[in-house]
Amino acid sequence: MSKKEDSRGKKGSHQTELYAEVPLTCLPIVYSPEYNITFMGLEKLHPFDAGKWGKVIRFLNEEQFITDEVIALAREASEVDLLVVHTACYLNRLKNAILEGSREWSLVVATITEIPPLLFLPNFLVQRKVLKPLRTQTGGTIMAGKLAMDRGWAINVGGGFHHCSSDKGGGFCAYSDITLAIKFLFERVGGVARATIIDLDAHQGNGHELDFLEDRRVYIMDVYNRHIYPGDGYAKRAIKRKVELDWGTEDMEYLQKVELHSEGALNEVWPDIIYNAGTDVLDGDPLGGLAISPQGIVKRDEIIFRAAQRRGIPILMVTSGGYQKKTARIIADSILNLHRQGLIGEEAVEGAGPSHVPLMMSKCVSSGATFSAI
């Protein structure tokens, strides 16, 4: 598979900073302090931990798995980048849903994020404090897609906005990062003709399902609680392997189904994988309604990465939902376990073939930027 591409990509593609070369001195772990949302405490009105991404990085630093210098620094997706998937009408609605005199209010963003007070704040503040972090995470997913092709694996510590489609957001998802990552790969990376989405968030991934409803190049496996949001029957038509769970599903049943169906899906097709690794399956999650232990989540992620490694398939992981304070620790523990198991890191790409460049775990000098975990 040819991996040759540049920031412009194939003929007709727009110029983008998201496919700029990342030095081999960077791990294919993508993050920016810009991911974290802090806005006068309003972020606390939603059960989502809007600072969990920085906590994951801090835990990985404390365990001495990474340093800030070896992380690939995420870039914000520009409007032109977003227009690869999103309609101009939808992006405009995020900017100025309601006009009152010279004030621009934020009805659409308040609805998507499920934080009603955002409605009464000027849109320029909402853009800066809420949407810019989400655009940066979206850029991170697109960057991680290319890194996965180059290195064999990549993890965006954020992203996974699987309720957003090209023209509609919802469920704290304002941008369709999974769809964008796949469309960028199709348009810009030679030889990428198919993709599989394995969505293991507790909620149905109706956003990317709507985007790929008629696209046979994309195979979707979705494992979710059948009784909760969004219950989008129309979007379910895009799912090639649907696994619907009941309230309180526990580790044994869950892991058996994940392994059985992921193996089945990857035996049907042999494409690149986007893995939506939501932690809202955790026991006690206020929105997920399942009963998976922290150890079960760590094992789940290992199952998916091991299946990809065994087949030599590039894999991109995004972290998606998770509505308890302890989810950041679980994500970090899962990443550490993947490394211990030889599923990520330099040894994970050994023998993957000439299309994968060797990974060097030394100081990253990408674009001269430095940052600290939050």
Side-chain angles (χ1 to χ4, degrees), residues 9 14 21-22 65 116 121 160 164 180 214 218 225 230 236 251 277 298 356 370:
H14 72 280
E21 287 299 319
V22 174
F65 171 57
L121 295 173
C164 186
L180 279 159
E214 305 298 332
V218 179
N225 184 339
K236 289 179 185 179
D251 285 16
V298 170
H356 294 297
T370 61

Side-chain angles (χ1 to χ4, degrees), residues 242-258:
K242 177 173 60 178
V243 184
E244 296 187 320
L245 304 174
D246 287 313
W247 295 110
T249 298
E250 297 181 347
D251 285 16
M252 182 175 294
E253 177 187 354
Y254 180 72
L255 293 174
Q256 285 177 347
K257 288 183 175 180
V258 165

Side-chain angles (χ1 to χ4, degrees), residues 15-62:
Q15 187 76 24
T16 182
E17 294 185 356
L18 301 179
Y19 267 28
E21 287 299 319
V22 174
L24 294 180
T25 50
C26 290
L27 283 164
I29 295 177
V30 185
Y31 170 73
S32 166
E34 296 288 340
Y35 283 14
N36 301 288
I37 300 172
T38 55
F39 192 9
M40 299 183 297
L42 290 177
E43 70 278 1
K44 297 177 182 177
L45 297 178
H46 191 281
F48 193 85
D49 180 0
K52 77 173 184 179
W53 309 286
K55 295 173 186 175
V56 172
I57 294 298
R58 189 179 76 238
F59 291 139
L60 294 176
N61 265 286
E62 290 172 354

Side-chain angles (χ1 to χ4, degrees), residues 111-231:
T111 303
I112 289 170
T113 60
E114 301 167 349
I115 303 175
L118 291 182
L119 169 63
F120 304 107
L121 295 173
N123 189 263
F124 79 91
L125 281 177
V126 173
Q127 289 288 329
R128 185 186 309 159
K129 294 294 189 176
V130 178
L131 292 180
K132 183 177 180 179
L134 301 182
R135 286 193 296 269
T136 305
Q137 292 191 43
T138 297
T141 300
I142 296 168
M143 291 173 61
K146 179 178 182 295
L147 279 168
M149 299 306 301
D150 290 342
R151 313 286 182 90
W153 65 275
I155 297 171
N156 181 15
V157 175
F161 304 131
H162 66 157
H163 297 308
C164 186
S165 63
S166 63
D167 61 358
K168 185 179 180 181
F172 211 81
C173 302
Y175 303 107
S176 188
D177 66 316
I178 292 173
T179 303
L180 279 159
I182 292 172
K183 289 289 184 72
F184 265 67
L185 288 172
F186 284 165
E187 290 181 5
R188 293 172 178 272
V189 180
V192 178
R194 294 179 298 171
T196 287
I197 300 169
I198 296 180
D199 195 333
L200 300 187
D201 187 275
H203 301 80
Q204 176 200 350
N206 61 320
H208 57 72
E209 290 163 9
L210 291 170
D211 287 336
F212 291 119
L213 194 60
E214 305 298 332
D215 194 332
R216 296 191 176 185
R217 296 173 299 175
V218 179
Y219 183 105
I220 298 175
M221 168 180 156
D222 201 347
V223 181
Y224 56 89
N225 184 339
R226 72 174 77 219
H227 304 291
I228 61 175
Y229 175 89

Side-chain angles (χ1 to χ4, degrees), residues 335-356:
I335 293 171
L336 292 168
N337 179 65
L338 293 174
H339 182 248
R340 284 194 299 270
Q341 298 296 326
L343 299 171
I344 63 173
E346 186 174 4
E347 64 277 13
V349 296
E350 289 180 358
S355 64
H356 294 297

